[in-house]
Amino acid sequence: MSTVPVYRWRLAPPGYATFRQLRDLGLRPGGQDVAAVLERPRKRRGPLVAYLYRVDLAKPVRPMTPARWAALAKANAAQQVCPNCCQDAGYRIPASLGMCVPCADAPELAA
């Protein structure tokens, strides 16, 4: 088993990118393993870690198909329906409340 090189923050050689940097370039890792690790030291805690991928092995981002757009719209719509009153809230229901804000603020449910 080979170990990956570890670089300090901002000292990685060119040709490596994080997942978000790849995404900004319109790329994805494409199944490749982590090529290197970036570490940013912190006081009193473990270092912040970022995984780096090789840009030359990255593949283009897959385009959204009509079926994927439909599935995403259906998932977003399901998160807008209040499970308590079964009404469309018009916004994503907060996971912390588990219901729309009017239902959460109702006095009979506060007890």
Side-chain angles (χ1 to χ4, degrees):
M1 180 170 176
S2 64
T3 60
V4 296
V6 178
Y7 299 105
R8 287 187 54 93
W9 202 254
R10 298 184 187 263
L11 295 178
Y16 291 105
T18 63
F19 183 84
R20 287 186 180 186
Q21 289 170 336
L22 286 177
R23 188 56 68 150
D24 288 342
L25 296 172
L27 301 171
R28 61 184 170 93
Q32 65 174 301
D33 291 331
V34 173
V37 176
L38 259 181
E39 285 189 352
R40 178 180 175 202
R42 297 189 295 179
K43 295 180 182 180
R44 299 186 193 103
R45 298 195 313 193
L48 286 175
V49 176
Y51 300 109
L52 299 175
Y53 301 94
R54 290 183 42 186
V55 176
D56 59 337
L57 298 178
K59 296 180 180 177
V61 174
R62 293 184 190 122
M64 289 288 283
T65 63
R68 283 178 142 184
W69 281 114
L72 183 62
K74 187 175 179 182
N76 286 335
Q79 291 180 346
Q80 293 182 2
V81 177
C82 176
N84 190 31
C85 64
C86 299
Q87 299 291 323
D88 185 353
Y91 54 87
R92 191 172 88 41
I93 304 293
S96 60
L97 296 177
M99 60 185 77
C100 64
V101 175
C103 288
D105 288 342
E108 62 271 3
L109 294 176

